């Protein structure tokens, strides 16, 4: 994570508004060092920036045979990582942890499911598409865990492009000022 283009894109470009070198793939989904013009996206405005806390993101690795979801949290905060990789990063924007995905499910069998197959049930983070998590595979230099489109947790090479679900921590003084949290009446923060 600490040396990834995605970390740089989300924190340096999207959050801080800095100029960076963006990269793209040249063949299929596999990424390369080919440079492109960075996408023209709206940066985070000052109001939103003032709500986001810079925090420590834990980068503890996971083995291929992932642990039951209720044990992932401990591994994510551990020190087991591929040789030379960092165990923590201080950023404004990260990605969800595999344990976040598991804890979002109300299916009780999810807590003991080693691959999170049942975790898609009653889970607001399950969207039927695959996306990256922030957690690396401890035994490979470029292995990262993802939520698959069919809802289970798996590892994949970070050399491939995939969906992302950026995640932030809000400052402790941020409150819900209106809304019920539904799609038609979203929360408004202040």
């Amino acid at each position: 994570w600490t040396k990834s283009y995605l970390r740089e894109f989300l924190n340096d470009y999207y959050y801080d508004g800095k100029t960076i070198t963006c990269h793209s793939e040249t063949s299929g989904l596999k990424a390369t060092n080919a440079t492109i013009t960075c996408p023209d996206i709206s940066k985070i405005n000052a109001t939103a920036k003032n709500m986001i806390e810079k925090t420590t993101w834990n980068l503890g690795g996971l083995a291929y045979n992932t642990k039951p979801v209720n044990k992932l949290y401990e591994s994510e905060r551990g020190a087991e990582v591929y040789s030379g990789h960092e165990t923590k990063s201080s950023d404004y924007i990260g990605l969800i942890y595999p344990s976040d995905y598991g804890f979002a499910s109300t299916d009780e069998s999810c807590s003991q499911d080693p691959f999170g197959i049942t975790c898609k049930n009653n889970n607001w983070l399950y969207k039927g598409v695959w996306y990256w998590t922030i957690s690396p595979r401890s035994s490979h230099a470029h292995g990262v865990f993802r939520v698959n489109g069919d809802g289970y947790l798996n590892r994949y090479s970070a050399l491939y492009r995939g969906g992302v679900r950026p995640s932030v921590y809000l400052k402790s003084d941020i409150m819900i000022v209106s809304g019920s949290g539904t799609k038609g009446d979203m929360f408004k923060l202040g």
Side-chain angles (χ1 to χ4, degrees):
W1 175 252
T2 59
K3 296 176 185 173
S4 74
Y5 297 131
L6 182 55
R7 193 222 61 79
E8 181 182 31
F9 182 83
L10 291 174
N11 286 277
D12 297 344
Y13 181 70
Y14 182 62
Y15 182 88
D16 281 335
K18 295 178 183 174
T19 300
I20 65 168
T21 301
C22 287
H23 301 270
S24 183
E25 85 284 352
T26 58
S27 175
L29 292 174
K30 192 165 184 180
T32 69
N33 283 331
T35 59
I36 61 169
T37 301
C38 292
D40 185 21
I41 61 171
S42 297
K43 308 298 189 297
I44 296 177
N45 66 39
T47 302
K49 279 185 181 184
N50 286 330
M51 294 183 187
I52 299 171
E53 185 77 48
K54 188 172 190 177
T55 193
T56 298
W57 295 86
N58 296 291
L59 306 174
L62 307 171
Y64 169 65
N65 56 340
T66 59
K67 300 174 181 177
V69 173
N70 64 351
K71 297 289 184 183
L72 290 175
Y73 183 88
E74 295 169 20
S75 295
E76 294 160 355
R77 279 136 190 86
E80 187 178 335
V81 294
Y82 186 79
S83 178
H85 286 197
E86 300 293 329
T87 59
K88 297 186 184 302
S89 180
S90 180
D91 291 306
Y92 289 99
I93 304 173
L95 301 176
I96 70 165
Y97 294 99
S99 64
D100 292 333
Y101 178 71
F103 292 142
S105 174
T106 59
D107 186 327
E108 292 192 23
S109 63
C110 170
S111 67
Q112 296 301 316
D113 186 345
F115 293 99
I117 296 167
T118 61
C119 294
K120 72 179 181 181
N121 301 331
N122 301 317
N123 189 331
W124 67 274
L125 288 174
Y126 173 66
K127 299 295 182 193
V129 296
W130 78 268
Y131 55 90
W132 295 114
T133 72
I134 200 167
S135 297
R137 186 172 173 194
S138 57
S139 59
H140 287 77
H142 53 82
V144 182
F145 278 80
R146 69 181 186 176
V147 174
N148 283 351
D150 55 8
Y152 71 93
L153 294 169
N154 199 357
R155 87 285 183 257
Y156 207 59
S157 172
L159 300 175
Y160 289 87
R161 292 181 4 155
V164 296
R165 298 200 72 182
S167 182
V168 298
Y169 285 85
L170 297 175
K171 292 180 179 177
S172 62
D173 61 345
I174 302 303
M175 299 182 306
I176 298 171
V177 295
S178 67
S180 62
T182 65
K183 187 174 183 178
D185 186 28
M186 292 185 249
F187 289 133
K188 181 175 181 182
L189 305 176

